[in-house]
Amino acid sequence: MAIQPVPDHRSSALSRMLKRLMRRQGVTADEVPNLSGWTNFVLAVNQTIQEFTANRELLEQSVQSTSLKLKQAYEDLKSESSLRLAQADLHQRELENLVQERTAELQAAQLHLEQINKRLEYDAILRTTCDLTLW
């Protein structure tokens, strides 16, 4: 398998990262390290890669867990909102029915009062007529 050259801008970024890692391990880019230096450097790079991989896995798990929790919270909120909306609609219908019942009761009471009023007027006219004839 042939090694493909890294594009120049990526090559310089990788070179800077490699030099930074080497400096952290006490290896300067100008001098060639001995076997122990290279071993320590490779172990440090390997440890950095393992830490990066572990951190990435933790982050991915956290994002996935948070996404699931947010999705569940959204579904719960949606269900709760639907329930409250249904309750509000039911309450509104109950109030409308109550208003209709009270309106019908008031109309019946008004009709009854009108009948009583007519009866009282009739009785008053009869009494007045009786009183006049007796006089």
Side-chain angles (χ1 to χ4, degrees):
M1 171 157 80
I3 298 176
Q4 295 180 343
V6 177
D8 197 33
H9 67 283
R10 288 190 62 209
S11 176
S12 63
L14 290 173
S15 177
R16 284 193 306 273
M17 285 174 43
L18 182 59
K19 286 180 182 178
R20 197 172 335 135
L21 283 170
M22 291 173 72
R23 278 194 305 272
R24 286 183 187 160
Q25 294 303 313
V27 177
T28 61
D30 297 335
E31 61 187 52
V32 177
N34 58 19
L35 181 61
S36 172
W38 278 116
T39 303
N40 289 338
F41 177 71
V42 169
L43 289 174
V45 169
N46 187 43
Q47 182 180 355
T48 301
I49 290 171
Q50 288 176 353
E51 288 172 359
F52 174 78
T53 303
N55 288 339
R56 181 178 177 168
E57 289 172 2
L58 285 173
L59 183 60
E60 287 174 352
Q61 289 172 359
S62 175
V63 166
Q64 185 177 17
S65 172
T66 302
S67 295
L68 290 175
K69 288 177 184 175
L70 286 174
K71 185 176 182 179
Q72 183 62 45
Y74 171 75
E75 292 299 325
D76 292 346
L77 183 61
K78 189 170 136 182
S79 297
E80 181 72 20
S81 296
S82 296
L83 177 64
R84 289 191 182 219
L85 183 60
Q87 289 173 337
D89 287 343
L90 179 63
H91 185 65
Q92 181 178 353
R93 277 187 258 127
E94 288 173 351
L95 289 175
E96 288 171 355
N97 289 339
L98 188 60
V99 166
Q100 289 174 352
E101 288 174 14
R102 295 299 184 257
T103 301
E105 289 173 3
L106 286 172
Q107 287 172 343
Q110 181 182 10
L111 183 61
H112 183 70
L113 285 173
E114 287 173 357
Q115 291 171 348
I116 291 174
N117 224 8
K118 285 180 184 178
R119 179 69 184 179
L120 288 173
E121 286 176 11
Y122 178 75
D123 288 348
I125 290 171
L126 275 180
R127 185 176 259 165
T128 306
T129 307
C130 286
D131 286 344
L132 287 176
T133 55
L134 289 177
W135 226 70

